[in-house]
Amino acid sequence: PIHLLLPDAEGLVVAASNGSATPLPAEVLAAAGRAMAGGEAVLSGWRIAPLPTAQGVVGVVAAKRPETDAGSEFDADHVKALLAQAALAIERARLNREIANARVKAQGEALREALINSVSHDLQTPLAAILGSATVLETLGEAGDPGARRELVTTIREEAERLGGYIGNVLDLTRIRSGQIAPRLELVELS
């Protein structure tokens, strides 16, 4: 059996395996951990090889040695070359994941910036109308035309409602993102 072990948040995990469905013995995992850290990884009955790259060790290969070495001749240089290629492929896959994650994060930041700019503009527009109408109403005082005063009060109320709607939408978005609001899925009759 041959096992490819890669680092994970919890330590080394078996990423791929060939030949055995049984879990790796603890001593093999410990030896693989030492190999990952750059230490010596010698274990009777197992060949444990780190997968080094220029960035460091990206994983470990643990292979159980056959019971008999008859007919199991191998070229050590060939095995080293294969392990080096495997290490480069693993590192490349990891770097591709990191690049994809960075792109997603950058797009998320750009969308968040656009949302903040849009929301701030949308909040300023009704607020300006409210302040302008209130200022004119205050200037007119009791001497102003009752129809004009009523129109200014209506503008203040409508813009305040619009502003309240925008703020409600932002709060709903915040609740959705935090998981406080979830869709209620149920069957409905279309008619």
Side-chain angles (χ1 to χ4, degrees):
I2 299 174
H3 306 278
L4 171 64
L5 294 100
L6 297 178
D8 192 346
E10 296 130 20
L12 286 176
V13 295
V14 178
S17 186
N18 178 15
S20 175
T22 60
L24 281 173
E27 61 268 10
V28 174
L29 288 173
R34 288 192 301 274
M36 188 74 189
E40 186 67 27
V42 177
L43 189 62
S44 176
W46 287 84
R47 181 181 303 264
I48 301 188
L51 299 172
T53 66
Q55 303 295 320
V57 178
V58 295
V60 177
V61 171
K64 187 162 180 66
R65 294 180 187 211
E67 299 295 326
T68 63
D69 282 339
S72 64
E73 223 177 278
F74 67 92
D75 180 2
D77 291 334
H78 183 69
V79 170
K80 285 181 184 178
L82 286 173
L83 292 177
Q85 290 297 314
L88 290 174
I90 291 167
E91 182 179 48
R92 184 178 201 161
R94 182 183 53 82
L95 290 173
N96 283 337
R97 273 193 312 275
E98 288 177 7
I99 289 170
N101 289 342
R103 283 186 184 142
V104 167
K105 188 175 182 180
Q107 287 173 345
E109 288 296 319
L111 286 173
R112 193 180 71 134
E113 255 331 286
L115 177 65
I116 289 172
N117 290 337
S118 175
V119 166
S120 64
H121 179 267
D122 286 345
L123 293 177
Q124 286 176 348
T125 303
L127 189 58
I130 291 169
L131 289 174
S133 297
T135 303
V136 170
L137 191 59
E138 185 179 50
T139 305
L140 285 178
E142 297 295 324
D145 176 33
R149 285 198 332 238
R150 207 172 17 258
E151 190 175 319
L152 289 171
V153 169
T154 301
T155 300
I156 291 172
R157 184 185 48 76
E158 288 172 351
E159 294 301 319
E161 288 173 354
R162 190 168 116 185
L163 187 61
Y166 287 149
I167 292 171
N169 289 343
V170 170
L171 291 175
D172 286 345
L173 181 62
T174 304
R175 287 186 197 115
I176 289 169
R177 292 195 78 203
S178 69
Q180 293 177 359
I181 295 178
R184 187 181 68 218
L185 303 175
E186 61 184 41
L187 295 173
V188 294
E189 190 174 329
L190 287 178
S191 62

